[in-house]
Amino acid sequence: MDCNTIRRKFLEFFESKGHKIVPSAPLVLKNDPTLLFTNSGMVQFKDNFLGHSKPIYNRVADTQKCLRVSGKHNDLEDVGLDTYHHTMFEMLGNWSFGDYFKKEAIAWAWELLTEVYQLPKDRLYVTVFGGDKNDHLPTDADAESLWKQHIATDRILYGSKKDNFWEMGEQGPCGPCSEIHIDLRPEAEVKNQPGKELVNNDHPQVVEIWNLVFMEFNRKADGSLEKLPAQHVDTGMGFERLCMAIQQKTSNYDTDVFRPLIDFISLHADLYRYGTDAKKDIAVRVMADHIRAVAFAIADGQLPSNTGAGYVIRRILRRAVRYGFSYLHFKEPFMHRLVPLLALQLKDVFPELHQQEEYVARVVHEEEISFLRTLEKGLRLIENYDKTISGVQAFELYDTFGFPFDLTSLIAREKNGTVDEKGFHEEMAKQKSRSKADAVKETGDWILTGEDKKTEFIGYDHLESEIKIVKYRKIKHKNKELFQLVFDKTPFYAESGGQVGDTGVIESVNEKINITDTKKENELIVHFTEKLPESLSSVFIARVDQPKRELTKNNHSATHLLHAALRQVLGKHVEQKGSLVNEKNLRFDFSHFAALTPEEIARVERIVNQKIRENILLTEQRHVPIEQAKAMGAMALFGEKYGEFVRMITFDPKFSVELCGGTHVAATGHIGLFKMISESSVAAGVRRIEAVTAEGAQEFVNESLALLTEVKSLLKNPKDTAASLQNMIEEKQTLEKKLDTLYQQQSNVLKDSLALKAVKKKDYTLILDKVTVPNAEALKNIAYALRNQFDDLLLVLAADVEGKPQVAVMIGEKLAATNQFHAGNLVKELAKEIDGGGGGQPFFATAGGKNLSGLDAVLTKAALLISQ
RNA sequence: GGGGGAUUAGCUCAGCUGGCUAGAGCGCUUCCAUGGCAUGGAAGAGGUCAUCGGUUCGAAUCCGAUAUUCUCCA
């Protein structure tokens, strides 16, 4: 059975059991402070379990793109070393939200595995939760007795809290779980040792394939458990592992999920045959695995970067490049060539990659080039190191120059040297604790003050409303206390879609509290404040900062017009890749492969301003079925999670139709004026435009004009300002050069006159004089020029340099070789006469001071010192 | 968000603990040699040492700030 059939059969099976098949959520999460990536199938339903929103369907199934790079069972650095860990994988799952529970979940799981997939019953084991004293929980007897209807009693095993009690995090919904394991070893081995002894023992051939979680509790911040009002089922089955079991392979990488990638990599690694060299195999697996994670993350809108989720993507890609570089001799960018293959392979399941294939490959390619450059630089640095490399050095290479530690040790070994690994890890630990100390954050439990229900957002129509506080909690960060409030309804817009959150106040009869920000946690609208209201149960008037909201609206609507204009001018490949809209300006990132020409910029700006003058009325539709919206030409963004119903914002159905939750002007005329401030690049294939509107644009134009007026007036209002300035700059350069030559000539004259005064002594030619020179540079020049003239020169010049005393001592080449005089020592002695200090090299030294009248004394003293 | 680096000629970079008049390779200009050249030789042009401020007799070098950029950690 090929992998596509396996996936299809899973979905068909649950569809036949009354489940709604939903699409995978994006890999990258936007509104969840606790998580960077979707790491399991249940993430997109988190709000349903937490009770923040009601599910639309109570039975759902899907295949979900997941990414795991750290956690109790997974670490990025382990992936590829063995044959079963992955960064990105698909998780098949079925869910019940307060609908069916353990009985159906267990029966269907068994039916699917043994009847649809025909997995051998005598190789399956199941585990149930064996209870936990600390949590005062008994064995999961329900699951136990249900399993007994399907499977022999001796194939049921009992697991501890660690293996059989599933928790979302330190807080939140949780419950006992029941896992299905399969023994894939050859017959002989099975006879030797029963599979049940190997379950949950990290054996690569005796593995868990399906986890059925029965969510019935909520874990509170103090660690105690509370029964949930409704019970849910959450299951997850690793797709790649399931394929291995059904296709009777010994590794996930041997299935047809990975094989095409592996073959392509091997082909281009000098026709390497996979399976013939353990180290090279690891490299091949790393590359095959990592390209999936990287490509899908980029397709979902996450570019590699140096912070947050983007940094994780960068690390994954770099790890793959590193392995290819070290073990398969890929010295040129290669990973990007895997993108088309992967896109084609998953075209029907995850079309987002196929649709953005060129863009994704380009980003990967650019990132590869940049890392190979980093490697090259590191290699050059490491050449200058001793063959024993200290931990501090290795860490500096890694931390400052991004040079991977394993490459450092590889190179050290090649030179028969060593690296202090312990020292390296110590340095790393220091770095980590520095960062952690900065990031500590304590989050308290939500405390209910009213009936817990979903907040109604009324901010599209109202900027002011009576509200009640539903719940609140305390956040501690860097010794600062913050409170988060949730209302029954709110006019405050929570940051999303690039638009900043509203600020404002809530006010009761007795008090007035500032709301400093509004954010979303998944679907929950959270208001931030520094002060907790005293009477939490009062009725408050919530009031949004209106001027700020108005200015923000201008910028948001302008962003839509800009997006549409860009597509008109540049082409349909322009897709939004990021957006920031606040009261001051707007920033819009989009896919496009070249810098905009001044003409393109002008055209885009002209179109946007024309649309503003047309004063197009806003058409806002709040509840359109997603399919209908798409049919009407609305652009859905990659990496954005849309519900069944969407909000549509239209400014002229022929011009701009977008799915958007933000706030907008009633008619485009409100925007007033649109002015682009800058156009730049953020990453390969992504451009950024910054612009201002309304008052901001007016201010910008006024300031620019004022500056120009000032410049013009300084130049005495020339006909052509730019040319006049250009002239002036050129003129200045010529003058500087002329002045230079003039000084040079002066110095020459002075030098010649000094040369005439030279007195020939027995061992040397003495020049001792007082001079006036324009700058220190000239003094130096004269000294060097005289040195070229007399190889037995002994020169002492007491100079007046722009009113400051300076002394120069120069000793000719031949004389210097005799070590008879030391310019540095001499000048130090002489400097005393001018209340200064100095030094230099044995043959040339200078000194400066404060006492100009001491110059004569310098010469007298010099004569004395020399004659000694 | 918190660290660590880097910024020197058109490009890639040297320049050790402050002091040889800031260098190399490539590229550029001119000239010479060969029938031709990704050729050889010679000469030459090109630098506010990112910006601003400080320490010092003296700063590319030390200190601080800003900008740009690379990199690690969260």
Side-chain angles (χ1 to χ4, degrees):
Chain A
M1 205 182 291
D2 68 44
C3 65
N4 288 327
T5 311
I6 293 170
R7 188 191 294 109
R8 199 186 69 236
K9 290 211 167 183
F10 176 89
L11 298 173
E12 281 171 2
F13 177 82
F14 280 102
E15 197 165 25
S16 77
K17 306 290 184 195
H19 288 66
K20 168 76 180 177
I21 307 302
V22 299
S24 172
L27 204 51
V28 187
L29 292 168
K30 294 226 168 89
N31 293 314
D32 192 330
T34 63
L35 213 52
L36 290 174
F37 301 100
T38 301
N39 64 0
S40 64
M42 59 76 65
V43 169
Q44 67 164 314
F45 307 110
K46 216 170 136 180
D47 273 344
N48 299 335
F49 292 126
L50 288 166
H52 296 153
S53 71
K54 283 216 171 69
I56 302 169
Y57 306 100
N58 47 23
R59 293 182 183 190
V60 171
D62 71 1
T63 178
Q64 171 68 48
K65 293 175 280 186
C66 297
L67 188 68
R68 285 187 191 172
V69 285
S70 59
K72 49 183 176 178
H73 294 308
N74 209 348
D75 185 15
L76 176 60
E77 289 303 321
D78 289 335
V79 175
L81 304 188
D82 55 44
T83 58
Y84 49 95
H85 275 116
H86 300 297
T87 49
M88 193 199 106
F89 58 96
E90 281 180 64
M91 191 175 268
L92 303 166
N94 58 294
W95 285 270
S96 152
F97 303 109
D99 188 19
Y100 64 83
F101 203 44
K102 296 180 188 176
K103 180 168 174 256
E104 293 84 346
I106 286 173
W108 290 336
W110 190 253
E111 184 187 341
L112 180 67
L113 293 183
T114 58
E115 286 172 32
V116 178
Y117 293 140
Q118 295 280 319
L119 289 173
K121 290 181 186 173
D122 62 348
R123 293 297 191 98
L124 294 173
Y125 294 90
V126 301
T127 64
V128 297
F129 179 52
D132 186 83
K133 272 185 194 156
N134 290 335
D135 280 334
H136 309 291
L137 291 172
T139 298
D140 187 352
D142 296 340
E144 183 185 23
S145 67
L146 286 164
W147 274 119
K148 281 183 180 163
Q149 297 173 21
H150 303 287
I151 192 168
T153 314
D154 66 343
R155 297 191 158 265
I156 301 175
L157 310 168
Y158 298 88
S160 66
K161 183 173 161 184
K162 177 176 152 277
D163 287 322
N164 283 83
F165 194 86
W166 190 90
E167 312 212 25
M168 196 159 82
E170 286 185 11
Q171 292 157 246
C174 55
C177 62
S178 202
E179 297 172 345
I180 303 169
H181 295 249
I182 190 163
D183 184 351
L184 294 165
R185 293 172 302 159
E187 203 59 46
E189 273 185 55
V190 175
K191 274 191 186 132
N192 240 336
Q193 187 181 21
K196 67 190 288 181
E197 290 174 14
L198 296 169
V199 166
N200 272 330
N201 265 321
D202 287 332
H203 191 290
Q205 309 293 304
V206 183
V207 291
E208 171 205 332
I209 48 175
W210 205 341
N211 189 2
L212 314 175
V213 180
F214 310 119
M215 259 189 245
E216 43 189 329
F217 304 105
N218 181 35
R219 172 85 64 188
K220 302 175 73 174
D222 65 4
S224 66
L225 290 174
E226 160 185 274
K227 191 94 177 165
L228 285 171
Q231 277 130 33
H232 315 292
V233 172
D234 158 27
T235 86
M237 174 154 62
F239 171 68
E240 294 75 11
R241 203 177 272 185
L242 177 67
C243 289
M244 163 173 83
I246 295 173
Q247 295 175 0
Q248 298 180 353
K249 304 287 187 188
T250 51
S251 156
N252 296 358
Y253 290 95
D254 292 335
T255 65
D256 58 346
V257 177
F258 287 97
R259 212 54 217 213
L261 291 169
I262 288 178
D263 289 343
F264 187 82
I265 296 165
S266 306
L267 180 71
H268 289 90
D270 298 329
L271 296 172
Y272 168 65
R273 280 185 54 226
Y274 181 70
T276 58
D277 178 324
K279 277 195 170 158
K280 290 188 175 183
D281 285 352
I282 290 173
V284 172
R285 285 195 294 269
V286 166
M287 292 170 81
D289 175 274
H290 290 8
I291 190 61
R292 289 165 33 106
V294 170
F296 277 101
I298 296 171
D300 276 348
Q302 184 56 63
L303 290 167
S305 75
N306 59 354
T307 54
Y311 180 56
V312 175
I313 300 307
R314 172 168 284 174
R315 262 171 55 193
I316 297 174
L317 179 61
R318 290 184 167 197
R319 184 166 182 261
V321 173
R322 197 172 94 209
Y323 271 89
F325 181 88
S326 304
Y327 299 107
L328 298 172
H329 309 292
F330 283 115
K331 308 289 178 198
E332 299 291 322
F334 173 75
M335 294 291 286
H336 65 106
R337 293 172 62 189
L338 293 168
V339 173
L341 188 66
L342 183 64
L344 188 67
Q345 196 186 345
L346 291 168
K347 185 179 164 188
D348 298 322
V349 199
F350 305 117
E352 59 274 24
L353 183 59
H354 182 250
Q355 285 163 19
Q356 304 178 87
E357 186 185 309
E358 194 196 343
Y359 161 73
V360 172
R362 206 147 179 165
V363 172
V364 172
H365 188 201
E366 200 67 28
E367 186 67 20
E368 286 190 90
I369 290 173
S370 122
F371 183 56
L372 286 170
R373 207 161 32 216
T374 303
L375 281 184
E376 203 182 307
K377 198 162 187 165
L379 286 172
R380 223 169 28 224
L381 281 168
I382 213 167
E383 264 174 31
N384 300 325
Y385 284 26
D386 293 340
K387 58 181 189 177
T388 35
I389 296 171
S390 72
V392 176
Q393 277 177 319
F395 184 72
E396 192 202 18
L397 276 170
Y398 175 71
D399 180 56
T400 303
F401 301 104
F403 197 73
F405 178 74
D406 49 1
L407 276 188
T408 304
S409 53
L410 196 77
I411 289 164
R413 272 202 306 277
E414 278 170 7
K415 291 202 251 177
N416 290 321
T418 54
V419 185
D420 176 9
E421 188 167 349
K422 192 166 154 271
F424 173 83
H425 289 296
E426 277 166 15
E427 290 299 314
M428 182 70 123
K430 278 188 219 162
Q431 154 96 317
K432 285 193 179 179
S433 68
R434 261 199 307 269
S435 287
K436 274 213 179 100
D438 179 68
V440 276
K441 198 168 140 187
E442 287 170 44
T443 309
D445 276 328
W446 284 110
I447 298 164
L448 288 179
T449 53
E451 189 200 344
D452 193 7
K453 59 168 193 167
K454 191 179 182 214
T455 310
E456 186 192 349
F457 176 64
I458 54 169
Y460 293 136
D461 307 305
H462 305 279
L463 291 182
E464 201 176 303
S465 164
E466 271 184 18
I467 58 108
K468 289 193 82 168
I469 296 170
V470 170
K471 54 184 170 185
Y472 70 93
R473 70 177 173 191
K474 187 157 92 177
I475 305 278
K476 240 182 157 172
H477 181 50
K478 282 192 188 174
N479 290 327
K480 265 184 81 181
E481 257 186 18
L482 273 181
F483 296 92
Q484 299 184 330
L485 311 175
V486 175
F487 306 152
D488 57 343
K489 56 178 188 276
T490 183
F492 286 88
Y493 180 82
E495 178 183 324
S496 83
Q499 181 177 336
V500 290
D502 276 331
T503 56
V505 292
I506 58 170
E507 210 169 345
S508 72
V509 194
N510 305 316
E511 52 187 337
K512 189 172 174 182
I513 306 282
N514 284 321
I515 300 296
T516 55
D517 202 358
T518 311
K519 286 189 179 178
K520 263 192 186 175
E521 258 190 60
N522 300 305
E523 292 303 309
L524 194 66
I525 299 175
V526 183
H527 306 80
F528 287 68
T529 177
E530 278 160 23
K531 194 170 149 236
L532 194 64
E534 275 163 32
S535 53
L536 287 154
S537 52
S538 314
V539 172
F540 290 86
I541 305 281
R543 203 170 288 130
V544 172
D545 180 338
Q546 192 183 350
K548 181 181 162 186
R549 167 74 87 80
E550 294 293 327
L551 290 169
T552 306
K553 268 161 66 176
N554 288 331
N555 284 332
H556 201 155
S557 299
T559 302
H560 283 209
L561 300 184
L562 171 64
H563 191 182
L566 283 169
R567 285 173 69 93
Q568 225 175 65
V569 172
L570 303 177
K572 294 290 177 227
H573 62 279
V574 169
E575 293 271 358
Q576 176 173 336
K577 287 293 163 200
S579 162
L580 174 74
V581 176
N582 60 31
E583 71 276 20
K584 293 194 196 78
N585 60 359
L586 64 97
R587 203 174 73 194
F588 188 71
D589 298 346
F590 57 99
S591 47
H592 182 58
F593 295 123
L596 270 65
T597 63
E599 292 75 34
E600 284 167 339
I601 289 178
R603 270 172 68 200
V604 169
E605 209 176 79
R606 204 156 52 227
I607 292 171
V608 173
N609 279 311
Q610 187 196 324
K611 293 292 168 185
I612 290 170
R613 285 191 301 273
E614 281 175 23
N615 201 23
I616 304 163
L617 290 179
L618 164 72
T619 311
E620 179 198 3
Q621 290 152 287
R622 291 196 191 160
H623 203 66
V624 186
I626 177 99
E627 289 312 319
Q628 191 189 328
K630 283 185 185 166
M632 288 163 79
M635 271 187 298
L637 301 178
F638 294 111
E640 208 61 54
K641 173 77 191 151
Y642 295 106
E644 290 285 302
F645 293 94
V646 292
R647 181 164 174 264
M648 257 172 71
I649 294 296
T650 307
F651 291 107
D652 182 351
K654 275 180 262 148
F655 187 65
S656 165
V657 185
E658 290 199 37
L659 304 181
C660 177
T663 61
H664 288 275
V665 294
T668 56
H670 287 270
I671 300 168
L673 177 65
F674 171 85
K675 193 78 204 142
M676 276 197 223
I677 304 280
S678 77
E679 193 272 344
S680 59
S681 160
V682 243
V686 183
R687 309 294 307 176
R688 165 171 294 175
I689 282 178
E690 285 173 88
V692 287
T693 67
E695 281 99 323
Q698 196 178 321
E699 246 169 67
F700 176 77
V701 171
N702 283 345
E703 275 168 23
S704 310
L705 284 177
L707 182 67
L708 184 61
T709 312
E710 198 185 337
V711 170
K712 271 187 177 167
S713 115
L714 283 171
L715 294 169
K716 311 287 176 212
N717 299 310
K719 264 191 212 137
D720 184 339
T721 314
S724 156
L725 201 55
Q726 180 68 34
N727 253 332
M728 214 156 154
I729 292 166
E730 276 164 21
E731 202 173 329
K732 176 181 159 275
Q733 279 171 344
T734 344
L735 285 175
E736 267 172 1
K737 287 222 163 127
K738 274 190 185 158
L739 196 62
D740 240 25
T741 24
L742 198 65
Y743 280 154
Q744 195 69 45
Q745 280 166 5
Q746 273 183 6
S747 301
N748 273 335
V749 172
L750 192 55
K751 184 210 84 179
D752 289 343
S753 73
L754 285 170
L756 290 175
K757 292 185 199 167
V759 183
K760 179 71 195 146
K761 303 274 176 152
K762 192 165 128 271
D763 301 333
Y764 49 84
T765 303
L766 180 67
I767 300 175
L768 196 64
D769 210 346
K770 199 165 108 175
V771 293
T772 301
V773 290
N775 53 38
E777 190 68 23
L779 188 63
K780 203 177 192 177
N781 283 336
I782 292 166
Y784 273 98
L786 287 168
R787 177 176 182 245
N788 289 336
Q789 210 166 333
F790 305 97
D791 57 4
D792 61 345
L793 175 74
L794 178 52
L795 170 80
V796 177
L797 290 177
D800 175 343
V801 182
E802 289 179 306
K804 279 188 174 174
Q806 201 156 4
V807 180
V809 176
M810 174 65 89
I811 293 167
E813 210 165 334
K814 215 162 122 194
L815 185 61
T818 67
N819 289 327
Q820 199 179 343
F821 298 102
H822 188 284
N825 294 342
L826 206 53
V827 91
K828 266 179 201 151
E829 209 44 51
L830 298 175
K832 288 176 186 165
E833 302 304 320
I834 50 169
D835 297 342
Q841 305 114 81
F843 73 95
F844 179 66
T846 56
K850 289 172 223 145
N851 183 15
L852 193 61
S853 60
L855 286 178
D856 290 315
V858 167
L859 295 177
T860 331
K861 191 166 188 183
L864 196 71
L865 286 171
I866 290 162
S867 63
Q868 277 176 0

